[in-house]
Amino acid sequence: MGYARRRRPDGRCPDGREKGTDMGIPTSGVAWALAGGLVATSLVGAATATAAPAARAAACAPAANIQAIIDDSGSMSGTDPDRLRVQAMNLLIDALAPSRILGATEFGSVEDNVFAPAAVGPNAAAMKASLDTLVQADNGGTDYNLAFDSARAVNPGASVRIFLTDGGHNSGDYLNTHLNPAPQAQTPTYVIGFSPGLAAAEDQARLQQIAADTGGQYFALPDAQALQPVMNEIQTRLTCQSPPKTFVDTVAAGGTKHHGVKIKRKSRSAQLTLTWTSPLDAFQVKKVKIKRHGRVVATKGHPLKIKTKRGSTYLVIKVTKLVPGKMTFVVKNTAAGSGAPQVTVTTQVSQSRSKK
């Protein structure tokens, strides 16, 4: 089981997935990865595939102004008790370039402006602190009208929206407030729906419609476990990176996994994103190197530049000064405090022609 993605009909960003292998099992993007490990057990039902095929355009314009709309209704205390939606937002903050504009609102039957639209770089710490303070599953019911109206009011210039919810609209009639009033163009909206609370066909259809009407995508998830890798998937699309090559590993305490990814000739940077679900677990990436014809041609500092940002359930690693070849690395478990005999970690590797 995994999540289903509705692709943008205009093909704004690239979309062909690069296949890989992990432990002898073929992988192809996050959809397989989550199906194979992260959300494979204790699920209520699998998401249905609704994607319309589209190739990413050769010229991709990174999203300059992103508005996140976060469901913080009371039901989140049961569907996302570990607040992985907060970690997903923190990951987005750490992965975006410093100059990118990001705003966030939360909604239920009332709304809050979590943080005003601002450049991520100088405001990252304040953004994370506000998310931690305000996103507490304490906003009552689920009012999509309020969600979109409030987001549009605080960030009318958003070029992209990310809408995250665990339940269907339940506050009167839905008035299609995801649509901007004429003559304003529609704002592409990336929709993340998760939990059994969205099992009804009507709710699924509405979320699909929101994505389709605006030229965005719909990601249907069975539970909160996949929120971080899905947010990373969206982030790579909004920043014109290649589709992530994904590995899902189950690792014993102190264990390691070895992986490799071909670095394309025109790639100037690579991003390695690791996500897991418990803050009591931890991982690191070691021995990043590039080989060509069996010979090591690049390591950290010679000439690779490696920068790591850490969250309690994720790592975002930027590698620049790339050279063509096969990049290999080791994923190592450094803590297994959750008590599980093995810990699941998802690694996504994307590439960009930009060095940022």
Side-chain angles (χ1 to χ4, degrees):
M1 299 178 186
Y3 65 77
R5 294 169 296 186
R6 177 177 288 278
R7 305 195 191 283
R8 287 186 51 137
D10 63 357
R12 176 179 172 187
C13 290
D15 190 38
R17 301 246 147 227
E18 182 179 354
K19 294 184 179 180
T21 56
D22 184 26
M23 298 179 292
I25 305 173
T27 68
S28 181
V30 183
W32 177 87
L34 301 181
L38 198 58
V39 294
T41 60
S42 66
L43 301 185
V44 175
T48 22
T50 59
R56 287 188 184 177
C60 175
N65 183 342
I66 302 167
Q67 181 67 25
I69 308 171
I70 307 163
D71 187 340
D72 201 33
S73 56
S75 61
M76 284 286 187
S77 62
T79 59
D80 186 23
D82 297 322
R83 298 198 306 160
L84 291 174
R85 64 196 184 282
V86 173
Q87 292 304 312
M89 284 296 302
N90 289 345
L91 187 158
L92 177 64
I93 291 167
D94 281 339
L96 289 174
S99 61
R100 294 285 177 256
I101 303 298
L102 178 65
T105 51
E106 64 170 7
F107 74 96
S109 50
V110 296
E111 57 82 22
D112 287 308
N113 187 18
V114 180
F115 53 82
V120 167
N123 297 289
M127 290 174 171
K128 292 178 182 179
S130 188
L131 285 162
D132 186 53
T133 299
L134 293 176
V135 181
Q136 298 287 347
D138 56 0
N139 280 40
T142 307
D143 188 342
Y144 288 9
N145 292 320
L146 182 65
F148 286 104
D149 282 342
S150 59
R152 185 163 32 243
V154 300
N155 194 357
S159 53
V160 168
R161 296 184 185 123
I162 301 172
F163 179 69
L164 186 155
T165 184
D166 73 333
H169 173 78
N170 60 13
S171 299
D173 294 334
Y174 180 56
L175 304 177
N176 289 328
T177 51
H178 61 281
L179 297 174
N180 296 330
Q184 184 180 355
Q186 299 309 317
T187 304
T189 302
Y190 289 73
V191 179
I192 306 172
F194 72 97
S195 94
L198 285 167
E202 178 184 7
D203 294 332
Q204 288 292 319
R206 179 175 289 122
L207 295 179
Q208 291 168 6
Q209 180 185 357
I210 290 169
D213 285 352
T214 60
Q217 289 179 275
Y218 175 42
F219 296 79
L221 307 178
D223 58 33
Q225 294 181 74
L227 288 177
Q228 293 177 104
V230 169
M231 185 65 80
N232 185 62
E233 165 88 0
I234 293 171
Q235 177 269 143
T236 63
R237 292 174 180 271
L238 299 185
T239 55
C240 300
Q241 298 180 56
S242 67
K245 183 173 182 179
T246 301
F247 306 92
V248 176
D249 298 310
T250 51
V251 186
T256 60
K257 293 289 183 179
H258 296 249
H259 296 298
V261 176
K262 181 181 178 181
I263 298 299
K264 298 175 182 177
R265 183 174 57 85
K266 294 184 178 181
S267 293
R268 300 184 67 189
S269 64
Q271 177 179 302
L272 286 70
T273 304
L274 277 65
T275 55
W276 56 96
T277 58
S278 173
L280 300 177
D281 301 322
F283 289 86
Q284 66 178 193
V285 171
K286 303 174 62 178
K287 300 181 180 179
V288 178
K289 62 184 72 173
I290 297 178
K291 296 181 179 180
R292 191 163 58 238
H293 305 304
R295 184 171 63 91
V296 175
V297 294
T299 59
K300 182 178 180 179
H302 304 280
L304 300 181
K305 183 177 180 181
I306 301 174
K307 183 177 182 181
T308 302
K309 293 185 178 181
R310 300 176 183 272
S312 61
T313 56
Y314 66 84
L315 293 175
V316 177
I317 302 168
K318 297 290 181 73
V319 184
T320 55
K321 296 189 176 181
L322 297 176
V323 298
K326 184 176 182 179
M327 182 174 69
T328 61
F329 58 93
V330 178
V331 174
K332 178 177 176 61
N333 174 265
T334 57
S338 62
Q342 290 189 317
V343 179
T344 298
V345 57
T346 298
T347 303
Q348 295 165 279
V349 185
S350 52
Q351 300 177 48
S352 174
R353 295 186 180 186
S354 169
K355 62 182 180 181
K356 294 182 179 180

